[in-house]
Amino acid sequence: MTVPNITLNDGKTIPQLGFGVFQIDPSETKAATLAALEVGYRHIDTAEMYGNEKEVGEAIAESGIDRSEIFVTSKLNNGFHAPDAAAENGKKSADLLGGYTDLFLIHWPLPTVSDFVPTWKALEELYHAGTSRSIGVSNFQAHHLHRLRDETTITPAVNQIEVHPYLTQESLRQANADLGIATEAWSPIAQGLVLDDETITRIASAHEKSPAQVVLRWHIQRGDIVFPKSVTRARVEENFAIFDFELSGEDMTDISGLDKGHRTGPDPDTFDYVPA
């Protein structure tokens, strides 16, 4: 089964479907990542704050797959926004993940805690050095993106934001598109909240697919990049099997119509968590 690639604004390509390791315990991360690679995933999403970069790197090294064939994303810890710390920790992530990161993100803008513009300039240096082959942001609002456009030289390749049928983020996705920034969707099934939705279960029954497969297919057809996570092999395989059917225009409209502005995570304009 072939996963489509998305071409980023820097000319690099990223597999549209990936495997996320958020909330996977480090003790389980290597096995889960190896299982995902065996199934066929070639895009892994981790972060410094997840505490499992080392185990992702070990899985990649032990997989027998050439590092160049695997796209690996990590994200800067909220405690390292100072430019020197951002540069140092970007290099640490690269070292743990095979010598470089394919994509390195500012995890949260933290607008009430620090200024993300100098942090972004440190990521620009990581990009120029080849430490991070692409750089981007996560959880940035449109006005945060406009600051980067006006005050820095490199446009983020991606903006990784919470997106699911209960939070469709139409205006922010459009702002991303207007700036040439790809949208990545985290919490793609709203931590399971949407799986019992009557509309989604109806569409899943019609296609003889699971509700999760239908929601992931909705993300894919919208053009977003998505990376579900699971430690269950059967679920990892199920999440990968979404390229042998297509949702109709009516299906897509019905799912998008479920939007209620419901977040499962924090508001990026007020979130201020910095690890001790």
Side-chain angles (χ1 to χ4, degrees):
M1 200 170 296
T2 302
V3 176
N5 285 321
I6 298 289
T7 300
L8 303 175
N9 60 21
D10 59 10
K12 311 293 195 312
T13 59
I14 180 172
Q16 194 177 3
L17 176 67
F19 179 73
V21 297
F22 175 57
Q23 293 181 330
I24 299 182
D25 190 271
S27 66
E28 298 181 300
T29 298
K30 182 164 77 170
T33 303
L34 280 168
L37 293 170
E38 289 169 4
V39 168
Y41 292 84
R42 293 295 183 268
H43 168 189
I44 309 296
D45 183 276
T46 184
E48 291 179 353
M49 286 197 294
Y50 301 169
N52 54 21
E53 288 176 304
K54 174 176 173 287
E55 291 74 17
V56 169
E58 290 172 349
I60 291 169
E62 294 179 22
S63 70
I65 302 167
D66 191 272
R67 174 66 181 85
S68 65
E69 297 181 21
I70 303 172
F71 191 103
V72 186
T73 299
S74 193
K75 311 175 196 75
L76 182 69
N77 188 306
N78 284 357
F80 301 130
H81 273 216
D84 287 349
E88 179 182 349
N89 283 274
K91 180 66 166 58
K92 285 181 180 178
S93 290
D95 290 342
L96 289 171
L97 295 166
Y100 61 92
T101 48
D102 294 277
L103 178 62
F104 195 61
L105 311 178
I106 298 178
H107 203 153
W108 288 90
L110 303 180
T112 66
V113 175
S114 63
D115 185 353
F116 53 77
V117 170
T119 309
W120 179 251
K121 291 180 179 179
L123 264 65
E124 291 182 326
E125 293 305 312
L126 291 171
Y127 173 79
H128 288 308
T131 305
S132 303
R133 297 193 169 181
S134 295
I135 54 174
V137 295
S138 183
N139 302 299
F140 273 49
Q141 304 283 54
H143 59 96
H144 302 143
L145 298 175
H146 292 154
R147 274 201 70 201
L148 293 184
R149 177 198 61 193
D150 295 341
E151 300 178 37
T152 68
T153 60
I154 298 177
T155 299
V158 308
N159 186 15
Q160 187 178 116
I161 58 175
E162 181 177 356
V163 183
H164 47 73
Y166 288 169
L167 184 71
T168 59
Q169 295 269 39
E170 301 293 356
S171 62
L172 182 50
R173 289 175 67 252
Q174 186 60 55
N176 289 339
D178 290 344
L179 293 168
I181 300 170
T183 296
E184 292 190 320
W186 65 259
S187 193
I189 58 173
Q191 299 186 14
L193 291 177
V194 301
L195 299 184
D196 293 326
D197 188 275
E198 186 177 288
T199 296
I200 291 170
T201 57
R202 169 179 58 79
I203 293 170
S205 178
H207 287 277
E208 297 183 336
K209 290 288 185 178
S210 72
Q213 287 173 314
V214 163
V215 175
L216 294 175
R217 182 69 200 180
W218 172 78
H219 285 285
I220 293 292
Q221 288 184 215
R222 294 175 98 210
D224 293 350
I225 301 156
V226 64
F227 38 91
K229 69 98 176 175
S230 178
V231 295
T232 305
R233 175 64 177 250
R235 187 64 55 80
V236 172
E237 293 176 350
E238 175 186 296
N239 290 343
F240 197 72
I242 59 173
F243 300 103
D244 58 353
F245 76 107
E246 187 167 342
L247 299 174
S248 69
E250 183 178 358
D251 291 337
M252 294 292 293
T253 298
D254 288 350
I255 296 171
S256 296
L258 298 173
D259 179 53
K260 56 180 75 175
H262 177 81
R263 290 187 181 276
T264 66
D267 182 339
D269 279 319
T270 58
F271 187 59
D272 60 2
Y273 170 72
V274 177

